[in-house]
Structure formats: structure tokens, C-alpha cells
Amino acid sequence: MRYQNTPVVLWSNWRLKTAITKTFISTNMCGIVGYIGNGNVYDILIKGLHRLEYRGYDSAGIALVGNDGNLKVYKAKGKVSNLEDYCKDKSLEAGVGIAHTRWATHGEPSDCNAHPHYSEDGNLALVHNGTIENYKVLKDALIQHGCKFHSETDTEVLVQLIEYIKVKNNCSLVDAVREALNQVVGAYAIAVIEKDHPDTIVAARQSSPLVIGIGDDETFLASDATPFVEYTKDVVYLKDEEIAVIKKGEPLRILNLDNRESTIDVKTLELSISQLEKGGYPHFMLKEIFEQPITLRDCIRGRIIEGGAKINVNGINDNKDIFLNAKRIVIVACGTSWHAALLGKYLIQDMCRIPVEVEYASEFRYSNPVLDDRDVVIAISQSGETADTLAAAMIAKRMGAFVFGISNSVGSSIPRETDSGTYIHVGPEIGVASTKAFTGQVMVLTLLALGIAQLKGTMPQEKIAEIGEEVLRIPDYVEKVLKLNDEIEHLSLIYTYARNFLYLGRGYSYPVALEGALKLKEISYIHAEGYPAAEMKHGPIALIDAEMPSVIIAPNDHLYEKIVSNVQQVKARGGSIIAIVTEGDTEIKNIADHVLEVPAMPECLTPIITSIPLQLLSYYIAINKGKNVDMPRNLAKSVTVE
Ligand code: G6P
């Protein structure tokens, strides 16, 4: 994401001046995909849209140019499957095409507001992920020049602007796109096709992701590489202010907004098609829950050596002095990543004795933060694209802090924009509700804390080695916990029709309670609140009755006796209790209505284990209620809007 100081845009050729002072540009979500080649354009684009549906599913659309020279645009409100139904009896023959799946910002979800948008003369079609912030001023100017608009979107303004410039200057599509983008304030990843030139796609990006896949005699583009991973592993990540000219039979060209050629840096993808399929599971979410023994192994691999005694996290080793001298660590994140961040605070403070603050990125960025070059800011984001987290990281960088990213998405914006960082290596997470990414983030934070503690000498080496050995066993513990699946499925039937839930925990189990409550809310639409168990008596206890179940995370840690009394307080008010306890527990077992037992392990490692039964509980409750767990209403996986 680019920080813009005082971008003043002069609309000289419109005889119109406007000054727009901006801080950060945020993008909307949405997924775009494009293809040119000899394959079945429609099939490739539709499959690609399905893979990008995690970015939004309010509407979908496709534009195709056939060998007959006709531009065909088909769109439908709702999921990609609705578009497929709509297209069943349509002419789909094409040599080039672009497609879009939308998360609505400007204009309600409707057929009309769906992308692709096309120019009034029907010559151009365009798909867009982003937000054109000065679209009103451009729209007014275009209306004065006789343009008519059919949708409420900012995107239609962009395609009409390109067409207007193309006709007015009698120039090529790429020249018109460049000229138009020089007039636009906002964020975009776009792809444009032209009826009269069915051999070309012009694409560009500013603050929204766009990757180009280069195959044999075929080229792909998309918001991420998932739509084309089975066709090619050679990719080019477009940078901000770059325009790609993709022409059939010719090498890819990339220009910048000043019309200078950029060098083409081809990277090789490390992503396999099996990672993008359900692999026999009914939902991605369940697959991702069950993948956790493998993903945690991948996450730990190489980072603990000498049988547990040596912590080897590259991001720390390369920046030893920074971590040794850090006076404070601030962690910024959103959603589930924020819950991982909160666990990061407990871990780092406990092990490294460095003060840690945890901030919602959306609040941090507008809070006039106080930071300097002895602060380390950790930005956590599964997608690496969350607008608020990215903006928070950029503010911290600008203020002189060392910014460290933790992400799952190779090549995404946060890894690119931060000073250093590390990947969680859990593979693509497709279910909108985060599961394996959460445990991966917590694992990386644990390793980070252990690594800094080893560097600083804030923990005895024997203790580090003892925890290190247990970390290596975590994937086995997770396998064991997953055996609770049938019991949890059965338990879920009892609680499916509860209208509210409380999730309670103390210490390391408090962020787990927050995450458990979020999981339930996200996919089952049941109201759930996570609370520090001891705070319950300052308010939420008033809610407890026979209709309000509590999920209490109570492993055998140093706060065990304290939480036993919280469990008793709930029971005394007639509330029913599901408790997550350590194997061999006797006290809570006698009080709670249901207990789920997890293996014993060091306190700092319990969150990874105790969060897994909560993932399964929310999954089964949502399934019992007939909800779409992979695509819950109103949510999207990658939140690139403020
Ligand atoms: C959305 C997703 C959550 C995710 C959050 C932050 O709300 O639905 O699962 O935790 O964004 O996303 P990030 O990619 O930054 O971790």
C-alpha cells in the first residue's frame, strides 16, 4: 500500500480542478480473473471465480470476446453458481475473457451493479477490485460530456473514462488506460478487454493485489494465484502503478504510469492444486481443522533444532540487535489474527520480559500512536492484505519503528511492505472462518517468544529446551484432540438452538475464549461473548440462566483453582457448562455438564490445543443449523476495505 502525502490531482483535460488530500487508500474486496489463450475461456474463468469466492460473493460476472468479434457480458446477483445457471443457455465461445466476484461497497448487490462493467458503446469491458475515491467528480465530468451511467458503482466511471479518452485521443487501449489511471485517486486491480482487439488484455494495479500467470501460449491474471495454479507455476506479481499488456503470442510487457518499461521478474509458485480442493471433506473449514497436525508440522519445521534446545526463527536471527534492544512491542491485527496477537502478548511478556501492547489495527491507525525507533511493531495477517493492518504497519514504519510481519500469503502486501517477518506456512486457508491459520499464528508467536527469550537470556535454557521438545509433540497432541470429533458432533446437537453463549477463560485461555466465541458468531450467527472468566461477575453473570450455556476453557494451569470457582459461580446460577479440561481432571468434571479432555502440556502451549474443540463445536452447530460454513453471510476472507 502506498502512502500518499499530498496527492493533488489536476484535471487539466477536464478543465476541472480538485485537491484530494489522502492518508491511506483502502481497497474493497472482490476477486478478479482473466485469461487469454487456446483453452476453454469460460470454464477457466468460472473455476477461477470459485477459487476467489472467499473474497466476496455478492454477485459475479464474466465478459467474453468471441472470434465473432462480439463482446458478451453476463452477470448475476449472488454466488458464482448463480452466474453459471444464468450462463447455461448463453453463447460462451471466446478467445479472451475477464471475470469478477464481488463484495459490495458502492451500490447494493444486484445484477446491474455486478462487474464486468462496460463502456456505453459496448466496446470495452472492465473488472475492478478496489475503490475509485474521486469517482463522483469524474462521473459528473463524464455526464457533462454526454456519458450515461447504468450502475451506482465507482467502477463504471473508470471504464467510461477509459473509453472517453480512447475516443477523444484516438489512442490505443493501453494509452487510454494509462491516461485514465493518471486521473484516478484510489485503489485498483483492473483488467480490461476490447471488442475490436480480442488478442489483448490490459491490466493494472494500485494497492490491490494482482498476479499474472505465464503459461505456454496462454496467460492468466487474478487477485491471487489460486485460479491458475494447475496451469502454470510461473508468476509475475504486478507492482503498484504498473500496467501489464498481455497480448496473445507475444511476451508479457509491463509499463509504469509514466510509460517506461519495467523489468519482468518471474517467480515460481509453491502452491499445489490439492491444497485448493476439499480432499473428500464436505467443507473447507472441516478439512482445514483436520489439516492442523500437518500444518503445524510445516509451521514448526526447521524452526526448532537440536531436539528442542535451539530456536531458529530466521526473522529473529537476522535482526538480533533489534529484538535485543526493543523497549516495547506493539502487535497490530484484526479478527482472529487479533486473538492470536493477544496470545502473543502473554507469550512475549512471559518469556521475554518485554512490554507488549495489542491493538486493533483499525483503531491503532487513527489513534495518533506514539512510536519510535526502539519500538518493534508486529503486524499479523493471514491474508497479508487486510487494509487496516497494512495501513497500521505503514504508519509504524513511517514513524521509525521496526515492522515485523507474520503472514500466510507469500508475496502479499504485508510481507512486501514490512521490514522483516516470517510466514506461518499453513497453506491456503479457504474457509472464511480462520482455523489452521490461527493455530499457525499462535505457533509462530510461541517460537518468536522462545527465540527472543533465548537471545535475551530471559528464560533458563533447560526451560526453553523443555518447551521446545513439547512444541515438537504438538502435532501429535492435535491429532489426539481431533479424536474428540464424534463426541463434539454429538454434543453440538444439544446446543444447536441456544440463542446466546458465553465463552470464559483466564490467562492463556482468555484469548482462546474470545476466538471460540468469534468462531460461533461467524458461522452459526448465534450471539456469543468471550470474557475473562473473573470479569464475569462484573456484568455477564447477570445473563446466566438455564438458557445461556457457558463454554469454559479450564486446562490445568496456574489459574486452575481460580477458574474452578468461576465454574461454580456459573453452576450456582443454573447455567449449563461445557468445559475444556486437561486429561485426568476431577474437580471441574464434577461440576460441568460436559467436559472435553485435552492432553496435558506446558501452560504456554495450551491455546493451540484448547482452541481446536471450539473450532469443531462451532462447525457442527452451524452445520446443524444448515448454515454455509465456508461462506458465511456478509463476511469475506480477505478484508481489504476499511
Ligand atoms: C476477516 C476474516 C477473518 C480474519 C480477519 C483478519 O474478518 O474473515 O477470518 O481473521 O479478516 O484477516 P487477516 O487476513 O488479516 O488475518
Side-chain angles (χ1 to χ4, degrees):
M1 188 169 287
R2 193 165 64 105
Y3 178 72
Q4 299 206 334
N5 271 329
T6 48
V8 178
V9 183
L10 299 179
W11 310 102
S12 50
N13 52 344
W14 298 100
R15 297 174 190 285
L16 178 69
K17 273 187 182 178
T18 181
I20 299 172
T21 305
K22 293 175 46 53
T23 49
F24 284 99
I25 292 168
S26 72
T27 79
N28 71 12
M29 298 185 273
C30 312
I32 67 172
V33 58
Y35 173 74
I36 191 162
N38 299 324
N40 184 320
V41 180
Y42 173 80
D43 286 353
I44 290 169
L45 294 179
I46 288 290
K47 206 158 152 205
L49 284 185
H50 277 298
R51 301 240 173 98
L52 292 176
E53 238 176 340
Y54 74 89
R55 301 180 69 88
Y57 29 82
D58 286 332
S59 64
I62 193 164
L64 304 166
V65 179
N67 293 327
D68 53 5
N70 282 329
L71 173 67
K72 299 164 274 203
V73 179
Y74 308 125
K75 343 193 216 188
K77 185 178 162 183
K79 300 205 167 73
V80 176
S81 52
N82 293 4
L83 175 67
E84 283 180 277
D85 289 344
Y86 179 73
C87 286
K88 269 188 183 130
D89 55 352
K90 302 286 184 297
S91 151
L92 301 173
E93 180 278 323
V96 62
I98 53 176
H100 187 272
T101 181
R102 178 170 188 246
W103 191 86
T105 52
H106 290 85
E108 57 165 13
S110 66
D111 293 353
C112 171
N113 287 333
H115 297 216
H117 288 283
Y118 42 88
S119 55
E120 214 186 329
D121 59 5
N123 190 37
L124 304 181
L126 176 147
V127 287
H128 170 217
N129 166 210
T131 308
I132 304 303
E133 306 213 353
N134 59 337
Y135 80 101
K136 281 209 182 80
V137 79
L138 293 170
K139 188 170 182 174
D140 289 347
L142 284 164
I143 289 170
Q144 276 174 29
H145 284 81
C147 268
K148 291 198 175 56
F149 286 87
H150 306 284
S151 77
E152 301 151 78
T153 65
D154 52 334
T155 303
E156 192 184 0
V157 176
L158 187 53
V159 69
Q160 302 277 29
L161 176 62
I162 295 169
E163 180 64 18
Y164 176 85
I165 293 169
K166 197 171 171 298
V167 172
K168 183 169 154 271
N169 296 353
N170 191 21
C171 62
S172 67
L173 177 61
V174 61
D175 286 342
V177 167
R178 190 178 55 253
E179 168 84 29
L181 294 180
N182 273 313
Q183 305 207 22
V184 152
V185 175
Y188 51 77
I190 57 164
V192 199
I193 55 173
E194 191 178 14
K195 189 173 80 174
D196 298 338
H197 292 93
D199 59 347
T200 307
I201 305 178
V202 175
R205 78 154 266 176
Q206 169 67 50
S207 304
S208 291
L210 193 61
V211 54
I212 296 167
I214 302 172
D216 294 334
D217 296 327
E218 57 185 357
T219 309
F220 308 79
L221 65 88
S223 301
D224 68 34
T226 57
F228 54 76
V229 63
E230 65 261 57
Y231 307 105
T232 179
K233 299 264 192 267
D234 292 336
V235 298
V236 175
Y237 293 97
L238 215 60
K239 299 193 196 78
D240 278 351
E241 301 194 343
E242 282 186 339
I243 301 175
V245 185
I246 302 164
K247 204 158 182 189
K248 205 169 179 180
E250 288 185 17
L252 172 69
R253 284 178 66 213
I254 297 183
L255 310 166
N256 65 20
L257 289 186
D258 298 331
N259 207 21
R260 278 178 288 119
E261 294 268 344
S262 298
T263 47
I264 294 184
D265 180 14
V266 181
K267 299 233 181 316
T268 306
L269 270 186
E270 286 176 24
L271 182 68
S272 71
I273 186 68
S274 62
Q275 292 175 295
L276 305 175
E277 288 170 347
K278 288 189 195 146
Y281 286 92
H283 300 97
F284 281 109
M285 183 178 177
L286 193 62
K287 177 193 174 216
E288 286 157 6
I289 292 173
F290 272 86
E291 267 176 355
Q292 289 174 107
I294 301 169
T295 57
L296 286 163
R297 253 180 219 116
D298 290 343
C299 177
I300 297 164
R301 185 169 300 119
R303 289 168 165 172
I304 295 206
I305 51 180
E306 297 169 19
K310 177 106 186 76
I311 312 301
N312 182 38
V313 179
N314 282 340
I316 308 175
N317 295 344
D318 305 342
N319 300 287
K320 278 190 186 140
D321 288 345
I322 287 165
F323 285 103
L324 269 174
N325 298 323
K327 75 169 193 301
R328 179 176 64 150
I329 292 179
V330 180
I331 316 183
V332 292
C334 301
T336 288
S337 298
W338 189 88
H339 296 150
L342 196 55
L343 281 163
K345 171 183 167 128
Y346 285 77
L347 289 159
I348 296 169
Q349 287 195 168
D350 245 11
M351 298 184 189
C352 320
R353 309 308 298 142
I354 303 174
V356 181
E357 287 167 26
V358 179
E359 302 262 5
Y360 287 110
S362 53
E363 289 298 314
F364 173 88
R365 62 184 291 195
Y366 295 114
S367 67
N368 198 7
V370 180
L371 288 174
D372 64 36
D373 59 5
R374 287 198 53 208
D375 288 310
V376 171
V377 171
I378 301 179
I380 307 179
S381 173
Q382 185 285 129
S383 62
E385 299 292 349
T386 300
D388 286 321
T389 311
L390 188 52
M394 297 299 285
I395 288 172
K397 206 167 148 185
R398 190 162 50 95
M399 293 183 77
F402 177 80
V403 184
F404 188 89
I406 296 180
S407 181
N408 190 32
S409 306
V410 178
S412 59
S413 300
I414 287 178
R416 278 208 310 269
E417 300 293 346
T418 42
D419 294 308
S420 178
T422 194
Y423 287 110
I424 60 173
H425 292 307
V426 300
E429 189 180 65
I430 302 194
V432 165
S434 183
T435 52
K436 64 175 182 174
F438 174 72
T439 50
Q441 288 165 340
V442 178
M443 179 48 83
V444 160
L445 286 160
T446 309
L447 295 169
L448 196 79
L450 282 168
I452 300 172
Q454 194 160 56
L455 203 65
K456 288 185 67 133
T458 43
M459 256 171 101
Q461 176 54 34
E462 310 79 73
K463 186 80 191 156
I464 293 181
E466 191 189 305
I467 297 175
E469 268 178 52
E470 284 293 293
V471 167
L472 293 170
R473 287 192 200 110
I474 286 265
D476 301 332
Y477 292 141
V478 172
E479 253 163 39
K480 200 163 175 199
V481 174
L482 288 169
K483 297 211 168 87
L484 293 170
N485 179 65
D486 293 354
E487 196 178 333
I488 296 172
E489 185 175 5
H490 182 72
L491 185 63
S492 71
L493 294 170
I494 306 172
Y495 290 98
T496 296
Y497 296 101
R499 300 194 50 198
N500 299 285
F501 266 85
L502 262 185
Y503 281 68
L504 304 172
R506 301 183 75 131
Y508 281 106
S509 297
Y510 162 50
V512 175
L514 294 178
E515 175 58 11
L518 178 65
K519 281 296 80 94
L520 190 71
K521 273 186 277 211
E522 280 179 308
I523 58 171
S524 71
Y525 319 142
I526 295 175
H527 169 245
E529 270 191 68
Y531 239 82
E535 272 297 299
M536 176 193 62
K537 56 187 170 294
H538 299 292
I541 199 164
L543 300 171
I544 290 174
D545 61 16
E547 311 280 288
M548 166 74 110
S550 296
V551 178
I552 305 186
I553 301 100
N556 192 3
D557 57 20
H558 81 286
L559 293 168
Y560 180 75
E561 289 307 330
K562 307 273 176 207
I563 204 157
V564 170
S565 58
N566 301 135
V567 173
Q568 276 159 340
Q569 287 155 11
V570 174
K571 201 69 219 161
R573 270 102 194 147
S576 54
I577 297 168
I578 303 170
I580 315 292
V581 297
T582 305
E583 277 168 1
D585 179 282
T586 47
E587 277 192 72
I588 292 182
K589 221 172 185 171
N590 285 331
I591 317 168
D593 299 80
H594 311 277
V595 290
L596 296 166
E597 293 185 68
V598 300
M601 67 192 57
E603 184 167 344
C604 62
L605 301 182
T606 54
I608 295 176
I609 300 299
T610 52
S611 57
I612 289 170
L614 307 186
Q615 296 170 348
L616 285 168
L617 184 66
S618 61
Y619 172 80
Y620 283 114
I621 290 180
I623 292 295
N624 300 341
K625 291 177 75 115
K627 303 299 179 203
N628 183 339
V629 294
D630 282 339
M631 287 188 262
R633 71 182 177 207
N634 304 339
L635 298 180
K637 183 112 196 107
S638 184
V639 182
T640 49
V641 68
E642 272 194 60

